[in-house]
Amino acid sequence: MTIIKTITYKFQDETNTTNTETIQLKISEDEKLQMYCIHRSLKNQLTNGRIRNADTKTRSEVRGGGKKPWKQKGTGRARAGSTRSPLWRGGGIIFGPRNKIYKSKVNKKEKELAINTLIYNKAGNTRVIDNLSITTEKPKTKIAMNIFNQLDINIKQYKNILLVVDKKTTFIYMSFRNIPNIELIEAKNLNVLSLLKAEIIIVTNKSLDIINKK
């Protein structure tokens, strides 16, 4: 059975006025079901990111071997039709690894429950900012660092910081890309792995609206 949980975040705008933003999340009452959905969604995400590049050639793909090595009868040796037989050195490979793209499926509702559960559980480690507009002529890492200083967040204390924005513009990306422990992601692409890794989550006000609608 699912229930509706409400989270109210406080944030300050550019005029230092304290505002609130409320989102509603549908999560399961059963903790075992919560962990099951998170596990399934994480496994699905990790599986779909796998590609096996190892590739061996079968006897039909190995070059050469068109001529019969010796006649069929009268030599006293075993019959041989091609030097590219898997029994021969330099021949094809039997049941060798092939290129493969791994795919798995998870129900949409399970994935939504997993993400909602993680957002709810990490509400205490979530900070909301009014916006993330960078209006300088050139993107600068210094500007990105100033944002964390204003929030009184020492980024050196955290291994993984998740920054959720409504739109990943070139200026925002260029400003934050040199900070190694920050993952920049759009709200529409929020996923289980990023939420699990994050020690602290910073969300813009517009991103919360997108998450609430999703």
Side-chain angles (χ1 to χ4, degrees):
M1 181 179 178
T2 58
I3 56 176
I4 303 296
K5 290 283 188 177
T6 302
I7 306 176
T8 301
Y9 299 99
K10 292 182 179 180
F11 66 95
Q12 290 184 336
D13 58 18
E14 294 178 349
T15 61
N16 290 327
T17 303
T18 302
N19 297 314
T20 60
E21 181 74 25
T22 301
I23 64 172
Q24 291 184 334
L25 303 171
K26 184 186 292 185
I27 64 175
S28 173
E29 287 183 313
D30 188 354
E31 291 186 1
K32 291 184 178 180
L33 181 58
Q34 292 177 11
M35 296 303 297
Y36 171 78
C37 291
I38 292 173
H39 175 263
R40 286 255 302 164
S41 300
L42 178 62
K43 184 179 178 181
N44 169 258
Q45 186 175 346
L46 293 175
T47 300
N48 289 343
R50 287 183 62 197
I51 298 177
R52 186 171 67 191
N53 292 324
D55 188 40
T56 55
K57 293 183 179 181
T58 63
R59 64 183 297 165
S60 63
E61 295 171 324
V62 178
R63 184 177 179 181
K67 182 181 178 181
K68 189 174 176 64
W70 49 74
K71 63 181 183 178
Q72 183 79 348
K73 296 178 179 292
T75 63
R77 290 180 288 187
R79 292 172 293 181
S82 172
T83 58
R84 293 300 174 251
S85 166
L87 304 178
W88 285 55
R89 182 179 179 181
I93 303 298
I94 303 175
F95 303 128
R98 307 287 287 177
N99 284 337
K100 182 178 180 181
I101 299 176
Y102 292 86
K103 289 185 179 181
S104 68
K105 184 181 178 182
V106 64
N107 293 334
K108 185 178 179 181
K109 289 185 178 180
E110 287 181 332
K111 186 176 180 180
E112 289 178 353
L113 284 175
I115 292 176
N116 289 348
T117 301
L118 290 172
I119 293 174
Y120 180 76
N121 291 340
K122 288 182 176 280
N125 295 329
T126 302
R127 301 284 296 275
V128 179
I129 58 178
D130 183 42
N131 55 34
L132 198 63
S133 57
I134 299 178
T135 56
T136 58
E137 294 181 359
K138 294 182 179 180
K140 296 180 180 179
T141 305
K142 184 178 179 180
I143 298 175
M145 296 296 294
N146 288 336
I147 294 174
F148 292 100
N149 293 334
Q150 292 173 2
L151 294 171
D152 197 22
I153 296 176
N154 184 5
I155 65 172
K156 294 182 180 180
Q157 294 180 350
Y158 303 98
K159 291 183 179 179
N160 294 289
I161 300 174
L162 182 63
L163 179 58
V164 186
V165 296
D166 58 311
K167 187 176 181 181
K168 189 191 293 186
T169 63
T170 303
F171 270 50
I172 293 176
Y173 169 73
M174 296 286 284
S175 298
F176 284 92
R177 68 174 181 172
N178 290 330
I179 308 177
N181 57 339
I182 294 180
E183 180 183 359
L184 183 65
I185 192 173
E186 291 187 355
K188 64 180 181 180
N189 297 326
L190 204 59
N191 58 80
V192 172
L193 182 60
S194 297
L195 288 170
L196 279 173
K197 291 192 303 182
E199 298 178 52
I200 185 171
I201 303 172
I202 301 172
V203 190
T204 63
N205 186 23
K206 291 182 179 179
S207 299
L208 279 180
D209 294 335
I210 296 174
I211 293 171
N212 206 14
K213 291 177 181 178
K214 254 185 107 174

